[in-house]
């Protein structure tokens, strides 16, 4: 682990060194140099009286071999052989040409009485511009070079148009680590706690952190999932059994968190993010769908016997159901609600910095337990609140069947287009409506409960229809199913303008974007499609007008790491972020302002604090 | 090769010689030619993309410039996807003698309403020393009526020369060192790839909104 960290910093240092080395030589942002700076011509006299012409070529520029020409007074001279390293440049758009980088020279015999040597040459900025042919005069006596100036390079530029901020040409790949310097001040959460009160204090604190996070959007999906696992028990569910099952669920969840630490130590990767692959997410969606089916009594009816015994076994017998609760807990922690929180990042940082896997993993286990305590209470005391037998139990089972189907759709939404998700939600709503009795005929003497059920069912059916219409119109927001249709009408312009985040998905774009801060503080917001907390932040914090006002003076950059690709991993490595959501504040020079980084869920006031500290520190 | 610079001089001379016969003439070359208005809204300059777009990109390009050939495709794609970009083409033949041929033929194609077709046909030719024959072949292949083009060229040589001269004066006045050079809203830039075109367009729009 230590060697991994060392290697990482070595790479970082190397990249920084490379950046500063090239920054001096390659013009900033790829702005083309004036011709006489790109190609510096000088003349010298050799001992044998010949004149040696030498071009010093700026890095990133080249001269064409066939672009050289020579005249003595008014007559053309054969060009003497060129000294330099000729390189063959092949490009589909301009064929093969021979070019010179760095320097090229020619030695010219000068006859008596020649008043003026004229040389012409032509070249380009690699991946930038091509210069018109240049012609320069050399006085054979004084060796003074003249010409230029009057040409295009010398003309005063009209100042109405300014050079675009730091946009290099496509081939001038800029060194990766140029623009950003991360803060090194933070001591780390685990180290701080350890210094305060030892190992037990660390573990106890993480347990409390977990408890504090127990009702955040990352953990909330686990309640219906655990509820579903319990409901599958049917009549056999006692408080003791509920305790055993929820304990299995929570222990597996905590183990998953501990495993996060071990894997991070071993590979430097956040396991949760790695598991956001379409395969894993699809498999979990399928698992939920399969778990939902027996809730409707479908297994017994339709599936082949071998299926029933294979899948059904999970739910039968004491050990089987404990194992399935464990499996659900484990997948929930890693795949269903993969959340990066401040304590999680703190523990991973501790492991990365010290190599202390045991304390890091134990802290994460404690964090998981803390998140799980309310779940255990829910699993133990919840069943007591439910009626024991009868038709009610069927209703409860069916309800959790819909919850599982909902979970399956929610997982699938990370894989399929938003309108497909909407269509699935529509189907689910209409299915729920049917089960609630929306389409059953009520007899005049039907009890109130049936009437309430039918009313709820009709409401669900109406929502389902709206969702279906929305899906057909291409909308993707289940909370505004008709926005596509309304936008054509008067609603346009009423939606808040929102924040203008620049999107970055490639490491090389990061520096370019940061370079465009233009004297402002930069907020780098690391986010992902599947990040539950990010969605919550966007809904409740970033959409708040006061927060938008606060952020409007900042250079806002969204770093999207939705996919577990090399680019996205590299982006997180560069920012030393453990995952989304992470907010990094940079001063106008691209240095991270210390003690401003926000990891995990943020509140409006927390964000406002960080912004004011970042702006004061920069 | 040695004859190269003399050829350039000859073609340039021919161009200059043609100019005084056209309306305006070389000596009427005034501050107006290099004004902001003429750079952005020269009535003679071909306009592509969406003529009513909210952002203007002015492209100073040469048909023998490898990076112009690369960016011609990119700019076309970006403009089509964006839908609200107005492109002003400034033929700025500075690299090779045949660049002038290319510029004149492309501008002549404007009289049959096919400037952009001709522009992309010429930009599509590989190499950085395209011959006049290659150019004519590419134009014909792209569906340009060559008979009409030659007639238009003959008839409007003066106007086309004046326009090229004006483009040249603008390129110099803007201090562009070579081709391609772009004005994107308030920014100047050279070769850009797809992503950077998008970035600079977004920045330019932001800047325009700021200045309003």
């Amino acid at each position: 682990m230590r060697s991994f960290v060392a290697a990482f910093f070595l790479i970082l240092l190397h990249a920084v060194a490379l950046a500063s080395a090239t920054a001096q030589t390659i013009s900033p942002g790829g702005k083309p140099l004036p011709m006489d700076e790109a190609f510096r011509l000088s003349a010298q006299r050799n001992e044998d009286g010949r004149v040696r012409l030498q071009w010093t070529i700026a890095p990133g520029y080249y001269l064409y071999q066939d672009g050289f020409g020579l005249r003595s007074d008014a007559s053309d001279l054969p060009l003497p052989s060129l000294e330099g390293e000729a390189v063959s440049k092949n490009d589909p758009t301009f064929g093969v040409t021979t070019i010179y980088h760095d320097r090229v020279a020619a030695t010219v015999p000068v006859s008596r009485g020649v008043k003026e040597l004229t040389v012409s040459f032509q070249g380009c900025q690699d991946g930038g511009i091509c210069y018109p042919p240049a012609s320069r005069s050399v006085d054979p006596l004084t060796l003074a070079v003249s010409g230029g100036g009057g040409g295009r390079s010398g003309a005063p530029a009209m100042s109405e148009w300014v050079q675009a901020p730091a946009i290099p040409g496509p081939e001038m790949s800029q060194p990766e680590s140029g623009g950003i310097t991360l803060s090194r001040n933070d001591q780390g959460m685990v180290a701080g706690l350890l210094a305060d009160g030892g190992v037990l204090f660390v573990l106890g604190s993480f347990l409390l952190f977990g408890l504090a996070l127990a009702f955040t959007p990352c953990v909330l999906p686990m309640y219906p999932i655990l509820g579903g696992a319990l409901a599958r028990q049917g009549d056999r569910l006692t408080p003791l059994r509920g305790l055993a099952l929820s304990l299995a669920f929570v222990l597996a969840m905590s183990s998953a968190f501990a495993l996060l630490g071990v894997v991070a130590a071993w590979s430097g990767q956040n396991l949760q993010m790695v598991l956001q692959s379409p395969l894993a997410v699809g498999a979990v969606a399928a698992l939920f769908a399969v778990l939902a089916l027996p809730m409707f009594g479908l297994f017994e009816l339709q599936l082949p016997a071998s299926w029933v015994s294979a899948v059904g076994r999970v739910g039968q017998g004491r050990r089987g159901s404990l194992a399935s609760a464990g499996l659900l807990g484990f997948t929930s922690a890693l795949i269903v609600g993969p959340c990066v929180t401040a304590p999680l990042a703190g523990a991973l940082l501790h492991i990365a910095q010290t190599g202390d896997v045991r304390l890091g993993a134990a802290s994460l286990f404690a964090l998981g337990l803390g998140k799980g305590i309310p779940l255990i209470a829910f699993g133990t005391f919840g069943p007591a609140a439910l009626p024991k037998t009868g038709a009610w139990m069927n209703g409860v089972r069916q309800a959790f069947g819909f919850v599982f189907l909902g979970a399956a759709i929610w997982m699938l939404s990370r894989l399929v287009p938003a309108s497909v998700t909407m269509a699935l939600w529509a189907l689910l709503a209409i299915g729920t409506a049917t089960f609630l009795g929306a389409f059953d005929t009520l007899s005049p003497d039907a009890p109130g409960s049936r009437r309430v059920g039918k009313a709820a069912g009709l409401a669900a059916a109406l929502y389902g229809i709206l969702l279906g219409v929305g899906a057909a119109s291409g909308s993707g927001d289940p909370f505004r199913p008709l926005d596509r249709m309304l936008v054509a009408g008067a609603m346009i312009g009423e939606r808040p303008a929102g924040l203008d985040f620049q999107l970055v998905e490639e490491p090389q774009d990061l520096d370019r974007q940061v370079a465009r801060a233009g004297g402002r503080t930069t907020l780098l917001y690391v986010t992902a499609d599947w990040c539950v907390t990010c969605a919550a932040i966007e809904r409740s914090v970033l959409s708040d007008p006061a927060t938008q006002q606060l952020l409007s003076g900042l250079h806002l950059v969204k770093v999207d790491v939705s996919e577990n690709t090399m680019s996205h991993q590299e982006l997180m490595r560069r920012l030393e972020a453990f995952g989304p959501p992470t907010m990094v504040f940079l001063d106008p020079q691209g240095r991270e302002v210390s003690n401003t980084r926000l990891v995990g869920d943020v509140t409006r006031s927390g964000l406002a604090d960080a912004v004011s500290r970042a702006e004061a520190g920069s | 090769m040695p004859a190269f610079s003399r050829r350039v001089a000859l073609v340039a001379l021919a161009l200059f010689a043609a100019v005084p016969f056209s309306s305006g003439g070389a000596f009427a070359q005034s501050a107006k030619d290099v004004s902001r208005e003429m750079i952005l809204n020269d009535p003679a300059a071909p306009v592509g993309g969406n003529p009513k777009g909210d952002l203007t990109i002015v492209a100073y390009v040469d048909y023998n410039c490898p990076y112009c050939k690369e960016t011609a495709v990119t700019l076309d794609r970006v403009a089509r996807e964006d839908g609200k970009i107005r492109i002003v083409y400034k033929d700025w033949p500075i690299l090779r003698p045949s660049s002038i041929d290319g510029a004149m033929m492309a501008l002549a194609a404007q009289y049959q309403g096919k400037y952009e077709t001709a522009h992309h046909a010429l930009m599509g030719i590989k190499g950085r020393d395209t011959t006049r024959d290659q150019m004519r072949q590419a134009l014909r292949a792209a569906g340009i009526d060559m008979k009409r083009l030659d007639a238009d060229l003959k008839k409007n040589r003066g106007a086309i020369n004046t326009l090229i001269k004006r483009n040249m004066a603008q390129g110099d006045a803007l201090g562009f060192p070579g081709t391609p050079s772009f004005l994107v809203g308030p920014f100047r830039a050279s070769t850009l790839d797809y992503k950077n075109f998008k970035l600079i367009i977004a920045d330019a729009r932001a800047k325009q909104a700021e200045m309003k």
Side-chain angles (χ1 to χ4, degrees), chain A residues 62 64 66 68 76 92 94 126-133 152 155-156 158 160-162 164 167 506 509 512-513 516, chain B residues 1-2 34 36 66-67 94-95 126 128 172-173 177-180 185-188 190-192 195-196 199-200 203:
Chain A
Y62 58 85
Y64 289 114
D66 63 5
F68 290 99
D76 290 327
F94 39 104
D126 204 348
I129 65 156
C130 286
Y131 294 88
R152 293 168 220 300
M158 290 173 77
E160 282 171 83
W161 285 276
V162 296
I167 293 191
E506 300 288 334
D509 293 343
R512 287 182 209 168
Q513 274 300 350
R516 288 140 68 97
Chain B
M1 208 50 251
V34 296
R36 179 184 171 83
Y67 301 116
I94 55 171
L95 296 186
K126 284 185 184 179
R128 61 176 199 90
D172 285 345
T179 56
F187 298 122
R188 47 178 81 217
S190 61
T191 300
L192 295 167
K195 263 194 207 152
N196 281 320
L199 285 177
I200 198 174
D203 277 9

Side-chain angles (χ1 to χ4, degrees), chain A residues 565-581:
Chain A
T565 58
M566 293 295 282
S567 313
H568 289 180
Q569 284 171 24
E570 173 64 19
L571 278 170
M572 295 214 300
R573 246 197 307 276
R574 291 268 314 277
L575 295 174
E576 292 178 24
F578 291 101

